Amino acid sequence: QVQLVESGGGLVQAGGSLRLSCAASGSIFRIDDMGWYRQAPGNQRELVARVTRGDNTNYADSVKGRFTISRDNAKNMVSLQMNSLEPEDTAVYYCNIKYFTSVGGRFDAWGQGTLVTVSS
């Protein structure tokens, strides 16, 4: 089974920065897309940022210019640098990967989530 371990969440004041990291392990032949999603209480889970195998990136409009996603293919890791944090960024952040096993086929895996709280 594939496991994703997230780290870097915590409490920060508005205007501050945090860096989230996610490491994937298990029966992975190759990871294609990697991304970060978030979910606040009462809301649906939404895409924050995504990066493809070819390093194409996509960001939610609300975080453009403030967040930067990056990946390390050799380490099966993805990170999210979050700057100029706002109270509206408060949510549980989830790591997600789309990957292939040695027998082919595309699969999804999710981390357990890490809480980011931004105070006013």
Side-chain angles (χ1 to χ4, degrees):
Q1 185 175 8
V2 172
Q3 182 177 1
L4 274 57
V5 179
E6 300 143 328
S7 62
L11 175 64
V12 65
Q13 66 180 10
S17 298
L18 285 174
R19 184 176 180 86
L20 305 182
S21 296
C22 173
S25 62
S27 301
I28 301 172
F29 177 73
R30 168 176 144 154
I31 300 176
D32 280 352
D33 294 352
M34 309 182 77
W36 290 92
Y37 293 71
R38 67 186 182 188
Q39 186 170 18
N43 294 340
Q44 294 292 116
R45 187 173 300 185
E46 64 174 352
L47 174 68
V48 178
R50 177 183 292 159
V51 57
T52 69
R53 183 78 180 184
D55 286 324
N56 293 317
T57 58
N58 180 257
Y59 296 92
D61 289 341
S62 59
V63 308
K64 287 180 180 177
R66 300 188 297 119
F67 292 9
T68 302
I69 190 170
S70 60
R71 64 190 290 166
D72 185 332
N73 293 327
K75 297 180 179 179
N76 285 347
M77 293 182 62
V78 61
S79 298
L80 184 69
Q81 179 66 45
M82 305 184 294
N83 298 327
S84 301
L85 283 162
E86 305 167 352
E88 293 74 23
D89 296 317
T90 296
V92 177
Y93 285 70
Y94 297 90
C95 178
N96 170 259
I97 67 168
K98 294 176 171 57
Y99 68 97
F100 292 89
T101 67
S102 61
V103 298
R106 200 183 190 211
F107 302 92
D108 283 340
W110 291 89
Q112 66 179 9
T114 184
L115 178 63
V116 172
T117 303
V118 184
S119 62
S120 300

